[in-house]
Amino acid sequence: MIQTSTLPKLIAGNWKMNGTLAALGELDAIAAAAREHPGVEVALALPATLLAPAAARGTGLAIGGQDVHHKPSGPHTGCLSAAMLGEAGASFTIVGHSERRADQAETSAMVRGKAMAANAAGLKVILCVGETEAERSAGHAAQVVRTQIAESMPDGASPDWLTLAYEPCWAVGTGRTPTIEEIGEIHRVARAQLVELIGEGGASVRILYGGSVTGDNARAILSADCVDGALIGGASLTAAKFVPIIAAAADT
Ligand code: PGA
């Protein structure tokens, strides 16, 4: 039987390079919705500059970073360590987002190092994988995802701190999504591989789907095989768009 994680569904937002202090008002309504649906875990990956002010707001929402350096300190201009994120209020960080894999040429080996550095500093991790459009058209989506998972998998991976996110690159920010069957197909492959790689715990690692999730399609996507939540970019920027996705997760 294909197992779905027994952990609560996780609805995670990723604000990317959006939001200044003025945007933090959105957190209050998002936090209120999270309190209304205690069976759903809600998290927001914010620009690093907003972590401390968001934490000071005291909404109780889990907040996190969008990337982290693989080293604890050193001459790495512009980078942030896991301890720095944690001190600013982060409880987790995203690693390996397709925009960083593409724009900063991050490899799976680098992503693995980042995940391990985050865990060493006590941060939870959302690790992203996903194929490009050309890879899907060539029929290689599942194999590409398998390779990325194998090469990115941190040592000591456990459902206590690791979440996987399947985000087809061509669906991120485009308004296009795979079919529900296609999503289920990759999530089943990822689930089997997690069990293969880390044993029993692999059955409980949450696998999120990400890429153009909205209030309109969330219910169907969250009902697909082995989908344990969602990672949301554009539709996480305002409570008006994000709250319906939290509500959909509460119903599925
Ligand atoms: P999107 O982004 O929801 O805007 O497609 C998803 C993501 O990058 O996590």
Side-chain angles (χ1 to χ4, degrees):
M1 199 188 99
I2 306 292
Q3 269 183 290
T4 295
S5 173
T6 50
L7 295 170
K9 283 215 160 56
L10 172 61
I11 299 299
N14 172 11
W15 279 18
K16 309 189 181 185
M17 199 172 73
N18 296 294
T20 54
L21 286 175
L24 286 182
E26 298 296 327
L27 263 51
D28 302 333
I30 293 171
R35 282 192 296 273
E36 235 176 84
H37 301 291
V40 179
E41 245 177 78
V42 179
L44 276 178
L46 298 172
T49 48
L50 291 184
L51 287 171
R57 221 173 165 91
T59 62
L61 276 175
I63 53 171
Q66 302 171 7
D67 175 49
V68 69
H69 198 272
H70 69 281
K71 289 197 171 158
S73 63
H76 306 290
T77 302
C79 299
L80 296 171
S81 73
M84 290 170 182
L85 291 177
E87 197 173 68
S91 59
F92 76 97
T93 185
I94 295 173
V95 297
H97 190 280
S98 60
E99 285 154 11
R100 293 203 59 86
R101 288 181 187 258
D103 300 349
Q104 273 78 31
E106 287 187 5
T107 63
S108 288
M110 291 160 73
V111 171
R112 177 172 176 269
K114 288 166 183 270
M116 285 163 61
N119 175 49
L123 297 186
K124 295 185 179 187
V125 169
I126 298 177
L127 192 164
C128 305
V129 295
E131 82 283 358
T132 62
E133 183 149 36
E135 289 163 342
R136 175 160 284 271
S137 305
H140 298 155
Q143 189 48 50
V144 166
V145 167
R146 272 185 65 84
T147 302
Q148 287 181 350
I149 292 174
E151 293 178 353
S152 312
M153 191 53 51
D155 291 352
S158 140
D160 296 342
W161 61 271
L162 181 71
T163 295
L164 192 71
Y166 167 55
E167 298 209 305
C169 306
W170 54 273
V172 171
T174 60
R176 297 161 56 207
T177 62
T179 65
I180 300 307
E181 181 45 45
E182 285 167 338
I183 293 172
E185 192 182 314
I186 299 290
H187 279 240
R188 286 193 301 270
V189 165
R191 168 67 68 221
Q193 193 186 9
L194 284 166
V195 172
E196 220 174 277
L197 290 173
I198 63 178
E200 208 179 310
S204 297
V205 169
R206 279 183 291 210
I207 310 173
L208 312 183
Y209 168 79
S212 298
V213 176
T214 65
D216 292 334
N217 63 20
R219 209 168 297 265
I221 288 173
L222 290 165
S223 305
D225 269 359
C226 299
V227 173
D228 305 307
L231 181 55
I232 298 116
S236 72
L237 293 174
T238 62
K241 290 186 173 167
F242 198 45
V243 168
I245 302 174
I246 298 171
D251 287 352
T252 52

